[in-house]
Amino acid sequence: GMLRIELEELSGEPVGMLRIDELDGLGCCCFCSIQFVASDEYYKNNIPKIEGFMRALRRAMDLTIEYPDEAWDIMCRANPRLNTPLYTKIFQRTLPYFSRDLLNVERDWTKVGDFCKHLDILKNDFDQNSIWTNEHVSSTGTPSVAPVTAGGVLPPKTSPFAVTPEPVAIEA
């Protein structure tokens, strides 16, 4: 997806999104599915941290979907190198594919596991579907807006991000 957007930028010709999850036999899932992997020891000894992390991630995803312009502004302030027309376009084009609930499905783990087996990261007889869980994903419903919104649902002054813009000096 991102490379195709960069190609479009360089060539000046429109290029569609390449959904790797729709390619037959590739064995890898789309980026809209977020999967976190932890060792058995870490998982067993850090359930409160895992649950807190997943709650924070879920809240961040909901806010990103409901207020994409504000979320992108915050991301660019945290990572100024992303504040370019190209990265803004990449964010806007990938936003529709963001997970609406952060839940993983067996299909995702099957594809990831098969790809890991192809790379010899997992043994061929390992059943990756026996270990994944959605147990710690907060069930707060889904965001109240459609997958893509033009600037969020509410006017910026009612946004939960409440960011005061910094004054910009204009040279004559």
Side-chain angles (χ1 to χ4, degrees):
M2 292 181 355
L3 292 175
R4 292 179 69 100
I5 295 169
E6 290 175 300
L7 176 62
E8 178 178 287
E9 200 67 21
L10 292 170
S11 70
E13 297 179 17
V15 177
M17 288 292 288
L18 175 63
R19 295 269 315 263
I20 61 173
D21 61 325
E22 293 177 348
L23 295 176
D24 203 21
L26 183 62
C28 192
C29 65
C30 184
F31 58 83
C32 61
S33 194
I34 301 173
Q35 299 169 334
F36 295 98
V37 179
S39 68
D40 287 341
E41 181 181 346
Y42 185 88
Y43 180 81
K44 290 174 186 171
N45 295 326
N46 293 284
I47 296 295
K49 285 182 185 177
I50 291 169
E51 289 175 343
F53 176 77
M54 293 306 294
R55 272 192 313 277
L57 183 65
R58 177 59 197 267
R59 182 71 178 135
M61 183 60 74
D62 288 351
L63 290 170
T64 298
I65 291 168
E66 296 239 13
Y67 303 96
D69 290 342
E70 289 90 341
W72 183 245
D73 181 58
I74 290 169
M75 176 64 113
C76 289
R77 281 188 279 125
N79 299 284
R81 67 182 180 79
L82 299 177
N83 195 9
T84 68
L86 175 61
Y87 282 113
T88 300
K89 187 183 286 187
I90 289 170
F91 173 73
Q92 292 168 345
R93 295 252 187 104
T94 57
L95 187 61
Y97 302 104
F98 284 16
S99 174
R100 309 293 294 158
D101 58 15
L102 297 183
L103 297 175
N104 286 285
V105 295
E106 186 172 336
R107 176 204 70 224
D108 297 336
W109 282 105
T110 297
K111 288 183 177 186
V112 168
D114 290 347
F115 191 63
C116 288
K117 290 172 185 177
H118 171 76
L119 297 175
D120 290 327
I121 295 170
L122 293 176
K123 294 180 181 175
N124 283 330
D125 60 348
F126 184 78
D127 178 16
Q128 68 274 7
N129 290 311
S130 67
I131 60 168
W132 68 270
T133 182
N134 286 317
E135 178 182 354
H136 306 292
V137 177
S138 299
S139 62
T140 58
T142 56
S144 63
V145 295
V148 181
T149 62
V153 207
L154 303 173
K157 66 182 177 184
T158 57
S159 164
F161 291 108
V163 175
T164 306
E166 295 178 21
V168 178
I170 300 174
E171 294 181 26

Short mmCIF file of all heavy atoms in Angstrom, two decimals, residues 98-164:
data_model
loop_
_atom_site.label_atom_id
_atom_site.label_comp_id
_atom_site.label_asym_id
_atom_site.label_seq_id
_atom_site.Cartn_x
_atom_site.Cartn_y
_atom_site.Cartn_z
N PHE A 98 -8.03 0.51 8.78
CA PHE A 98 -7.73 0.35 10.20
C PHE A 98 -8.79 -0.54 10.84
O PHE A 98 -9.97 -0.45 10.53
CB PHE A 98 -7.74 1.70 10.92
CG PHE A 98 -6.51 2.55 10.69
CD1 PHE A 98 -5.62 2.29 9.66
CD2 PHE A 98 -6.26 3.63 11.49
CE1 PHE A 98 -4.51 3.08 9.45
CE2 PHE A 98 -5.15 4.43 11.29
CZ PHE A 98 -4.27 4.15 10.27
N SER A 99 -8.37 -1.35 11.78
CA SER A 99 -9.29 -2.23 12.50
C SER A 99 -10.31 -1.40 13.27
O SER A 99 -9.97 -0.43 13.93
CB SER A 99 -8.50 -3.11 13.48
OG SER A 99 -9.37 -3.86 14.28
N ARG A 100 -11.56 -1.79 13.19
CA ARG A 100 -12.63 -1.08 13.89
C ARG A 100 -12.78 -1.55 15.33
O ARG A 100 -13.39 -0.87 16.15
CB ARG A 100 -13.96 -1.26 13.16
CG ARG A 100 -13.92 -0.96 11.68
CD ARG A 100 -13.68 0.45 11.31
NE ARG A 100 -14.80 1.28 11.72
CZ ARG A 100 -14.70 2.58 11.92
NH1 ARG A 100 -13.56 3.18 11.74
NH2 ARG A 100 -15.73 3.28 12.29
N ASP A 101 -12.25 -2.73 15.66
CA ASP A 101 -12.45 -3.26 17.02
C ASP A 101 -11.20 -3.92 17.61
O ASP A 101 -11.21 -4.35 18.75
CB ASP A 101 -13.60 -4.25 17.02
CG ASP A 101 -13.40 -5.41 16.06
OD1 ASP A 101 -12.27 -5.63 15.58
OD2 ASP A 101 -14.40 -6.09 15.78
N LEU A 102 -10.12 -4.01 16.85
CA LEU A 102 -8.84 -4.63 17.25
C LEU A 102 -8.93 -6.13 17.46
O LEU A 102 -7.96 -6.74 17.93
CB LEU A 102 -8.26 -3.97 18.51
CG LEU A 102 -7.88 -2.51 18.40
CD1 LEU A 102 -7.24 -2.03 19.70
CD2 LEU A 102 -6.92 -2.27 17.24
N LEU A 103 -10.05 -6.75 17.15
CA LEU A 103 -10.17 -8.19 17.32
C LEU A 103 -9.48 -8.92 16.17
O LEU A 103 -9.56 -8.51 15.02
CB LEU A 103 -11.64 -8.61 17.38
CG LEU A 103 -12.44 -8.05 18.55
CD1 LEU A 103 -13.91 -8.44 18.41
CD2 LEU A 103 -11.87 -8.53 19.88
N ASN A 104 -8.78 -9.98 16.51
CA ASN A 104 -8.17 -10.83 15.51
C ASN A 104 -9.08 -12.02 15.25
O ASN A 104 -9.85 -12.42 16.12
CB ASN A 104 -6.80 -11.33 15.98
CG ASN A 104 -5.76 -10.24 15.92
OD1 ASN A 104 -5.30 -9.89 14.85
ND2 ASN A 104 -5.40 -9.69 17.06
N VAL A 105 -8.99 -12.56 14.07
CA VAL A 105 -9.79 -13.73 13.71
C VAL A 105 -8.85 -14.86 13.30
O VAL A 105 -7.68 -14.63 12.97
CB VAL A 105 -10.80 -13.41 12.58
CG1 VAL A 105 -11.83 -12.39 13.04
CG2 VAL A 105 -10.09 -12.92 11.33
N GLU A 106 -9.37 -16.06 13.30
CA GLU A 106 -8.55 -17.23 13.00
C GLU A 106 -7.86 -17.09 11.65
O GLU A 106 -6.70 -17.47 11.49
CB GLU A 106 -9.40 -18.50 13.03
CG GLU A 106 -8.59 -19.76 12.87
CD GLU A 106 -9.41 -21.01 13.10
OE1 GLU A 106 -10.44 -20.96 13.80
OE2 GLU A 106 -9.01 -22.06 12.57
N ARG A 107 -8.56 -16.50 10.66
CA ARG A 107 -7.97 -16.31 9.34
C ARG A 107 -6.66 -15.56 9.42
O ARG A 107 -5.67 -15.92 8.77
CB ARG A 107 -8.96 -15.54 8.45
CG ARG A 107 -8.42 -15.21 7.07
CD ARG A 107 -9.12 -14.00 6.44
NE ARG A 107 -8.74 -12.80 7.17
CZ ARG A 107 -9.60 -11.84 7.54
NH1 ARG A 107 -10.87 -11.93 7.25
NH2 ARG A 107 -9.17 -10.78 8.21
N ASP A 108 -6.61 -14.49 10.26
CA ASP A 108 -5.38 -13.70 10.39
C ASP A 108 -4.24 -14.54 10.93
O ASP A 108 -3.12 -14.50 10.42
CB ASP A 108 -5.61 -12.51 11.33
CG ASP A 108 -6.66 -11.53 10.80
OD1 ASP A 108 -6.87 -11.50 9.58
OD2 ASP A 108 -7.25 -10.82 11.62
N TRP A 109 -4.53 -15.30 11.99
CA TRP A 109 -3.48 -16.11 12.61
C TRP A 109 -3.06 -17.26 11.71
O TRP A 109 -1.90 -17.65 11.71
CB TRP A 109 -3.91 -16.60 13.98
CG TRP A 109 -3.77 -15.50 14.99
CD1 TRP A 109 -4.78 -14.77 15.54
CD2 TRP A 109 -2.56 -14.97 15.50
NE1 TRP A 109 -4.26 -13.81 16.38
CE2 TRP A 109 -2.89 -13.92 16.38
CE3 TRP A 109 -1.22 -15.27 15.32
CZ2 TRP A 109 -1.95 -13.18 17.07
CZ3 TRP A 109 -0.26 -14.52 16.01
CH2 TRP A 109 -0.64 -13.50 16.87
N THR A 110 -3.99 -17.79 10.94
CA THR A 110 -3.63 -18.85 10.00
C THR A 110 -2.66 -18.30 8.97
O THR A 110 -1.62 -18.91 8.69
CB THR A 110 -4.90 -19.40 9.31
OG1 THR A 110 -5.73 -20.00 10.30
CG2 THR A 110 -4.55 -20.44 8.26
N LYS A 111 -2.96 -17.12 8.42
CA LYS A 111 -2.07 -16.53 7.42
C LYS A 111 -0.71 -16.17 8.00
O LYS A 111 0.32 -16.44 7.40
CB LYS A 111 -2.73 -15.29 6.80
CG LYS A 111 -3.87 -15.62 5.87
CD LYS A 111 -4.43 -14.37 5.24
CE LYS A 111 -5.52 -14.71 4.25
NZ LYS A 111 -5.99 -13.51 3.54
N VAL A 112 -0.71 -15.55 9.19
CA VAL A 112 0.57 -15.20 9.82
C VAL A 112 1.37 -16.46 10.13
O VAL A 112 2.57 -16.53 9.87
CB VAL A 112 0.34 -14.37 11.10
CG1 VAL A 112 1.61 -14.25 11.91
CG2 VAL A 112 -0.18 -12.99 10.74
N GLY A 113 0.70 -17.47 10.69
CA GLY A 113 1.39 -18.72 11.01
C GLY A 113 1.95 -19.39 9.78
O GLY A 113 3.10 -19.87 9.78
N ASP A 114 1.16 -19.44 8.71
CA ASP A 114 1.64 -20.06 7.46
C ASP A 114 2.84 -19.31 6.91
O ASP A 114 3.79 -19.90 6.41
CB ASP A 114 0.52 -20.13 6.43
CG ASP A 114 -0.56 -21.13 6.81
OD1 ASP A 114 -0.34 -21.96 7.73
OD2 ASP A 114 -1.64 -21.09 6.16
N PHE A 115 2.80 -17.98 6.99
CA PHE A 115 3.91 -17.18 6.50
C PHE A 115 5.15 -17.42 7.37
O PHE A 115 6.26 -17.56 6.85
CB PHE A 115 3.53 -15.70 6.50
CG PHE A 115 4.50 -14.82 5.77
CD1 PHE A 115 4.73 -14.98 4.41
CD2 PHE A 115 5.18 -13.83 6.44
CE1 PHE A 115 5.62 -14.17 3.73
CE2 PHE A 115 6.08 -13.00 5.77
CZ PHE A 115 6.30 -13.17 4.41
N CYS A 116 4.98 -17.51 8.69
CA CYS A 116 6.11 -17.79 9.59
C CYS A 116 6.69 -19.18 9.32
O CYS A 116 7.90 -19.37 9.40
CB CYS A 116 5.67 -17.68 11.05
SG CYS A 116 5.38 -15.97 11.57
N LYS A 117 5.82 -20.13 8.99
CA LYS A 117 6.31 -21.47 8.64
C LYS A 117 7.09 -21.43 7.34
O LYS A 117 8.12 -22.08 7.20
CB LYS A 117 5.13 -22.44 8.55
CG LYS A 117 4.52 -22.75 9.91
CD LYS A 117 3.25 -23.55 9.79
CE LYS A 117 2.62 -23.72 11.16
NZ LYS A 117 1.33 -24.42 11.10
N HIS A 118 6.61 -20.65 6.40
CA HIS A 118 7.31 -20.48 5.12
C HIS A 118 8.70 -19.90 5.34
O HIS A 118 9.65 -20.27 4.66
CB HIS A 118 6.48 -19.57 4.19
CG HIS A 118 7.19 -19.15 2.96
ND1 HIS A 118 7.38 -20.00 1.88
CD2 HIS A 118 7.78 -17.98 2.62
CE1 HIS A 118 8.06 -19.37 0.94
NE2 HIS A 118 8.30 -18.13 1.36
N LEU A 119 8.83 -18.99 6.30
CA LEU A 119 10.12 -18.37 6.62
C LEU A 119 10.96 -19.21 7.59
O LEU A 119 12.04 -18.80 7.98
CB LEU A 119 9.90 -16.98 7.23
CG LEU A 119 9.22 -15.95 6.34
CD1 LEU A 119 8.94 -14.67 7.12
CD2 LEU A 119 10.07 -15.64 5.11
N ASP A 120 10.45 -20.37 7.98
CA ASP A 120 11.12 -21.26 8.95
C ASP A 120 11.26 -20.63 10.33
O ASP A 120 12.20 -20.93 11.07
CB ASP A 120 12.49 -21.72 8.44
CG ASP A 120 12.37 -22.68 7.26
OD1 ASP A 120 11.39 -23.46 7.22
OD2 ASP A 120 13.24 -22.65 6.38
N ILE A 121 10.33 -19.73 10.68
CA ILE A 121 10.31 -19.16 12.02
C ILE A 121 9.56 -20.10 12.96
O ILE A 121 9.90 -20.23 14.13
CB ILE A 121 9.66 -17.76 12.01
CG1 ILE A 121 10.53 -16.80 11.19
CG2 ILE A 121 9.44 -17.23 13.41
CD1 ILE A 121 9.88 -15.47 10.89
N LEU A 122 8.52 -20.74 12.43
CA LEU A 122 7.75 -21.74 13.18
C LEU A 122 7.93 -23.10 12.53
O LEU A 122 8.10 -23.19 11.31
CB LEU A 122 6.26 -21.39 13.17
CG LEU A 122 5.80 -20.16 13.92
CD1 LEU A 122 4.31 -19.95 13.70
CD2 LEU A 122 6.12 -20.26 15.40
N LYS A 123 7.85 -24.13 13.35
CA LYS A 123 7.90 -25.49 12.81
C LYS A 123 6.59 -25.78 12.09
O LYS A 123 5.52 -25.28 12.48
CB LYS A 123 8.12 -26.50 13.94
CG LYS A 123 9.47 -26.36 14.59
CD LYS A 123 9.66 -27.37 15.69
CE LYS A 123 11.03 -27.17 16.32
NZ LYS A 123 11.23 -28.04 17.46
N ASN A 124 6.65 -26.58 11.05
CA ASN A 124 5.47 -26.86 10.22
C ASN A 124 4.32 -27.50 10.99
O ASN A 124 3.16 -27.32 10.63
CB ASN A 124 5.84 -27.74 9.02
CG ASN A 124 6.52 -26.93 7.94
OD1 ASN A 124 6.26 -25.74 7.79
ND2 ASN A 124 7.40 -27.57 7.19
N ASP A 125 4.61 -28.23 12.07
CA ASP A 125 3.53 -28.89 12.81
C ASP A 125 2.97 -28.03 13.96
O ASP A 125 2.10 -28.46 14.70
CB ASP A 125 4.00 -30.25 13.35
CG ASP A 125 5.18 -30.12 14.31
OD1 ASP A 125 5.80 -29.04 14.39
OD2 ASP A 125 5.48 -31.13 14.97
N PHE A 126 3.45 -26.78 14.10
CA PHE A 126 2.97 -25.91 15.16
C PHE A 126 1.59 -25.35 14.80
O PHE A 126 1.36 -24.88 13.70
CB PHE A 126 3.96 -24.75 15.37
CG PHE A 126 3.58 -23.85 16.52
CD1 PHE A 126 3.81 -24.23 17.82
CD2 PHE A 126 2.96 -22.64 16.28
CE1 PHE A 126 3.45 -23.42 18.88
CE2 PHE A 126 2.59 -21.80 17.33
CZ PHE A 126 2.84 -22.20 18.63
N ASP A 127 0.67 -25.39 15.76
CA ASP A 127 -0.69 -24.88 15.54
C ASP A 127 -0.82 -23.48 16.16
O ASP A 127 -1.12 -23.34 17.34
CB ASP A 127 -1.72 -25.83 16.16
CG ASP A 127 -3.14 -25.33 16.00
OD1 ASP A 127 -3.38 -24.43 15.16
OD2 ASP A 127 -4.04 -25.84 16.71
N GLN A 128 -0.59 -22.47 15.34
CA GLN A 128 -0.65 -21.09 15.84
C GLN A 128 -2.05 -20.71 16.30
O GLN A 128 -2.21 -19.82 17.14
CB GLN A 128 -0.14 -20.10 14.78
CG GLN A 128 -1.02 -19.97 13.56
CD GLN A 128 -0.72 -21.01 12.49
OE1 GLN A 128 0.06 -21.92 12.69
NE2 GLN A 128 -1.35 -20.86 11.34
N ASN A 129 -3.08 -21.36 15.80
CA ASN A 129 -4.44 -21.03 16.20
C ASN A 129 -4.76 -21.49 17.63
O ASN A 129 -5.76 -21.06 18.20
CB ASN A 129 -5.45 -21.60 15.22
CG ASN A 129 -5.39 -20.89 13.89
OD1 ASN A 129 -5.41 -19.67 13.83
ND2 ASN A 129 -5.28 -21.65 12.82
N SER A 130 -3.91 -22.31 18.21
CA SER A 130 -4.16 -22.79 19.57
C SER A 130 -3.70 -21.78 20.62
O SER A 130 -3.99 -21.96 21.81
CB SER A 130 -3.43 -24.12 19.79
OG SER A 130 -2.03 -23.93 19.76
N ILE A 131 -3.00 -20.72 20.22
CA ILE A 131 -2.44 -19.81 21.22
C ILE A 131 -2.92 -18.37 21.15
O ILE A 131 -2.68 -17.59 22.05
CB ILE A 131 -0.90 -19.81 21.16
CG1 ILE A 131 -0.40 -19.35 19.78
CG2 ILE A 131 -0.33 -21.17 21.51
CD1 ILE A 131 1.07 -19.06 19.73
N TRP A 132 -3.60 -17.95 20.10
CA TRP A 132 -4.01 -16.55 20.02
C TRP A 132 -5.28 -16.31 20.83
O TRP A 132 -6.06 -17.21 21.06
CB TRP A 132 -4.15 -16.07 18.57
CG TRP A 132 -5.29 -16.67 17.78
CD1 TRP A 132 -5.24 -17.81 17.03
CD2 TRP A 132 -6.61 -16.16 17.65
NE1 TRP A 132 -6.45 -18.04 16.44
CE2 TRP A 132 -7.32 -17.05 16.81
CE3 TRP A 132 -7.28 -15.06 18.15
CZ2 TRP A 132 -8.65 -16.85 16.46
CZ3 TRP A 132 -8.60 -14.87 17.80
CH2 TRP A 132 -9.27 -15.76 16.96
N THR A 133 -5.43 -15.06 21.28
CA THR A 133 -6.60 -14.73 22.09
C THR A 133 -7.00 -13.27 21.87
O THR A 133 -6.16 -12.43 21.58
CB THR A 133 -6.32 -14.95 23.60
OG1 THR A 133 -7.50 -14.64 24.33
CG2 THR A 133 -5.18 -14.09 24.10
N ASN A 134 -8.29 -13.01 22.02
CA ASN A 134 -8.81 -11.64 22.03
C ASN A 134 -9.24 -11.28 23.46
O ASN A 134 -9.90 -10.28 23.67
CB ASN A 134 -10.01 -11.51 21.10
CG ASN A 134 -9.61 -11.49 19.65
OD1 ASN A 134 -8.65 -10.84 19.27
ND2 ASN A 134 -10.34 -12.21 18.81
N GLU A 135 -8.84 -12.11 24.41
CA GLU A 135 -9.29 -11.98 25.79
C GLU A 135 -9.04 -10.59 26.38
O GLU A 135 -9.83 -10.10 27.18
CB GLU A 135 -8.59 -13.04 26.64
CG GLU A 135 -8.93 -12.99 28.10
CD GLU A 135 -8.16 -14.04 28.91
OE1 GLU A 135 -7.45 -14.87 28.33
OE2 GLU A 135 -8.30 -14.00 30.14
N HIS A 136 -7.97 -9.94 26.00
CA HIS A 136 -7.61 -8.66 26.64
C HIS A 136 -7.92 -7.44 25.78
O HIS A 136 -7.50 -6.33 26.11
CB HIS A 136 -6.14 -8.69 27.03
CG HIS A 136 -5.80 -9.87 27.87
ND1 HIS A 136 -6.27 -10.04 29.15
CD2 HIS A 136 -5.08 -10.99 27.59
CE1 HIS A 136 -5.85 -11.19 29.63
NE2 HIS A 136 -5.13 -11.78 28.71
N VAL A 137 -8.67 -7.63 24.70
CA VAL A 137 -9.08 -6.50 23.87
C VAL A 137 -10.33 -5.90 24.50
O VAL A 137 -11.32 -6.59 24.71
CB VAL A 137 -9.37 -6.95 22.42
CG1 VAL A 137 -9.86 -5.76 21.58
CG2 VAL A 137 -8.13 -7.58 21.79
N SER A 138 -10.28 -4.62 24.79
CA SER A 138 -11.43 -3.94 25.41
C SER A 138 -12.64 -4.02 24.49
O SER A 138 -12.54 -3.78 23.30
CB SER A 138 -11.10 -2.46 25.66
OG SER A 138 -10.02 -2.35 26.53
N SER A 139 -13.78 -4.36 25.06
CA SER A 139 -15.00 -4.41 24.26
C SER A 139 -15.80 -3.14 24.50
O SER A 139 -16.75 -3.11 25.26
CB SER A 139 -15.82 -5.66 24.62
OG SER A 139 -16.21 -5.61 25.97
N THR A 140 -15.38 -2.08 23.83
CA THR A 140 -16.06 -0.79 23.98
C THR A 140 -16.97 -0.52 22.80
O THR A 140 -17.37 0.61 22.58
CB THR A 140 -15.03 0.35 24.09
OG1 THR A 140 -14.21 0.33 22.92
CG2 THR A 140 -14.18 0.21 25.33
N GLY A 141 -17.30 -1.55 22.05
CA GLY A 141 -18.11 -1.34 20.86
C GLY A 141 -17.22 -0.90 19.72
O GLY A 141 -16.03 -1.15 19.71
N THR A 142 -17.82 -0.26 18.74
CA THR A 142 -17.04 0.26 17.62
C THR A 142 -17.23 1.77 17.57
O THR A 142 -18.22 2.28 18.09
CB THR A 142 -17.47 -0.37 16.28
OG1 THR A 142 -18.87 -0.14 16.11
CG2 THR A 142 -17.18 -1.85 16.23
N PRO A 143 -16.31 2.48 16.97
CA PRO A 143 -16.47 3.93 16.86
C PRO A 143 -17.81 4.29 16.23
O PRO A 143 -18.35 3.53 15.44
CB PRO A 143 -15.29 4.35 15.98
CG PRO A 143 -14.27 3.28 16.20
CD PRO A 143 -15.06 2.01 16.38
N SER A 144 -18.31 5.46 16.58
CA SER A 144 -19.65 5.85 16.15
C SER A 144 -19.71 6.41 14.74
O SER A 144 -20.76 6.83 14.29
CB SER A 144 -20.22 6.88 17.13
OG SER A 144 -19.42 8.05 17.10
N VAL A 145 -18.58 6.43 14.04
CA VAL A 145 -18.57 6.99 12.70
C VAL A 145 -18.24 5.92 11.67
O VAL A 145 -17.74 4.86 12.00
CB VAL A 145 -17.53 8.14 12.58
CG1 VAL A 145 -17.90 9.30 13.45
CG2 VAL A 145 -16.15 7.64 12.91
N ALA A 146 -18.53 6.25 10.43
CA ALA A 146 -18.17 5.35 9.33
C ALA A 146 -16.65 5.23 9.26
O ALA A 146 -15.94 6.06 9.82
CB ALA A 146 -18.73 5.91 8.03
N PRO A 147 -16.12 4.22 8.58
CA PRO A 147 -14.68 4.02 8.56
C PRO A 147 -13.85 5.21 8.12
O PRO A 147 -12.75 5.39 8.58
CB PRO A 147 -14.50 2.86 7.59
CG PRO A 147 -15.76 2.11 7.70
CD PRO A 147 -16.83 3.14 7.93
N VAL A 148 -14.35 6.06 7.23
CA VAL A 148 -13.57 7.22 6.81
C VAL A 148 -14.43 8.45 7.00
O VAL A 148 -15.56 8.50 6.58
CB VAL A 148 -13.17 7.12 5.33
CG1 VAL A 148 -12.36 8.32 4.91
CG2 VAL A 148 -12.40 5.86 5.07
N THR A 149 -13.86 9.45 7.67
CA THR A 149 -14.58 10.71 7.85
C THR A 149 -13.68 11.84 7.39
O THR A 149 -12.46 11.74 7.48
CB THR A 149 -14.96 10.94 9.33
OG1 THR A 149 -13.76 11.03 10.08
CG2 THR A 149 -15.85 9.85 9.86
N ALA A 150 -14.29 12.88 6.93
CA ALA A 150 -13.51 14.05 6.48
C ALA A 150 -13.30 14.98 7.66
O ALA A 150 -14.08 15.89 7.90
CB ALA A 150 -14.25 14.76 5.37
N GLY A 151 -12.27 14.72 8.44
CA GLY A 151 -11.93 15.62 9.54
C GLY A 151 -12.60 15.30 10.85
O GLY A 151 -12.62 16.11 11.76
N GLY A 152 -13.16 14.13 10.99
CA GLY A 152 -13.81 13.76 12.25
C GLY A 152 -15.29 14.05 12.23
O GLY A 152 -15.84 14.53 11.25
N VAL A 153 -15.95 13.73 13.31
CA VAL A 153 -17.39 13.87 13.39
C VAL A 153 -17.80 15.22 13.93
O VAL A 153 -18.81 15.77 13.57
CB VAL A 153 -17.99 12.82 14.35
CG1 VAL A 153 -19.39 12.50 13.97
CG2 VAL A 153 -17.16 11.59 14.41
N LEU A 154 -17.02 15.74 14.83
CA LEU A 154 -17.36 16.99 15.50
C LEU A 154 -16.44 18.10 15.02
O LEU A 154 -15.32 17.85 14.62
CB LEU A 154 -17.22 16.82 17.02
CG LEU A 154 -18.03 15.70 17.64
CD1 LEU A 154 -17.66 15.55 19.10
CD2 LEU A 154 -19.52 15.96 17.49
N PRO A 155 -16.91 19.34 15.10
CA PRO A 155 -16.00 20.45 14.77
C PRO A 155 -14.79 20.42 15.70
O PRO A 155 -14.90 19.96 16.84
CB PRO A 155 -16.85 21.69 15.03
CG PRO A 155 -18.27 21.22 15.06
CD PRO A 155 -18.23 19.78 15.47
N PRO A 156 -13.61 20.88 15.24
CA PRO A 156 -12.40 20.82 16.06
C PRO A 156 -12.54 21.38 17.46
O PRO A 156 -11.95 20.87 18.39
CB PRO A 156 -11.39 21.61 15.24
CG PRO A 156 -11.88 21.50 13.84
CD PRO A 156 -13.38 21.44 13.92
N LYS A 157 -13.37 22.41 17.67
CA LYS A 157 -13.48 22.99 19.01
C LYS A 157 -14.11 22.04 20.02
O LYS A 157 -13.94 22.19 21.21
CB LYS A 157 -14.26 24.30 18.97
CG LYS A 157 -15.71 24.13 18.58
CD LYS A 157 -16.42 25.47 18.52
CE LYS A 157 -17.85 25.23 18.06
NZ LYS A 157 -18.57 26.44 17.89
N THR A 158 -14.82 21.02 19.55
CA THR A 158 -15.42 20.05 20.46
C THR A 158 -14.65 18.74 20.47
O THR A 158 -15.07 17.78 21.07
CB THR A 158 -16.89 19.76 20.07
OG1 THR A 158 -16.92 19.30 18.73
CG2 THR A 158 -17.75 20.99 20.23
N SER A 159 -13.51 18.72 19.82
CA SER A 159 -12.68 17.52 19.77
C SER A 159 -12.14 17.18 21.16
O SER A 159 -11.79 18.07 21.92
CB SER A 159 -11.52 17.75 18.81
OG SER A 159 -10.52 16.78 19.00
N PRO A 160 -12.03 15.90 21.49
CA PRO A 160 -11.46 15.52 22.78
C PRO A 160 -9.96 15.79 22.87
O PRO A 160 -9.37 15.67 23.93
CB PRO A 160 -11.74 14.02 22.86
CG PRO A 160 -11.81 13.57 21.45
CD PRO A 160 -12.40 14.73 20.69
N PHE A 161 -9.33 16.16 21.76
CA PHE A 161 -7.90 16.39 21.77
C PHE A 161 -7.53 17.77 22.32
O PHE A 161 -6.42 17.97 22.76
CB PHE A 161 -7.31 16.23 20.36
CG PHE A 161 -7.35 14.81 19.90
CD1 PHE A 161 -8.23 14.42 18.91
CD2 PHE A 161 -6.52 13.86 20.45
CE1 PHE A 161 -8.27 13.12 18.48
CE2 PHE A 161 -6.55 12.55 20.02
CZ PHE A 161 -7.44 12.18 19.03
N ALA A 162 -8.42 18.74 22.26
CA ALA A 162 -8.25 20.09 22.82
C ALA A 162 -6.81 20.59 22.71
O ALA A 162 -6.14 20.79 23.69
CB ALA A 162 -8.71 20.13 24.26
N VAL A 163 -6.35 20.78 21.50
CA VAL A 163 -5.00 21.26 21.26
C VAL A 163 -5.06 22.72 20.85
O VAL A 163 -5.82 23.10 19.98
CB VAL A 163 -4.32 20.44 20.14
CG1 VAL A 163 -2.97 21.01 19.81
CG2 VAL A 163 -4.23 18.99 20.55
N THR A 164 -4.28 23.55 21.51
CA THR A 164 -4.20 24.96 21.15
C THR A 164 -3.13 25.11 20.08
O THR A 164 -1.98 24.74 20.31
CB THR A 164 -3.83 25.82 22.38
OG1 THR A 164 -4.75 25.55 23.42
CG2 THR A 164 -3.83 27.30 22.02
#
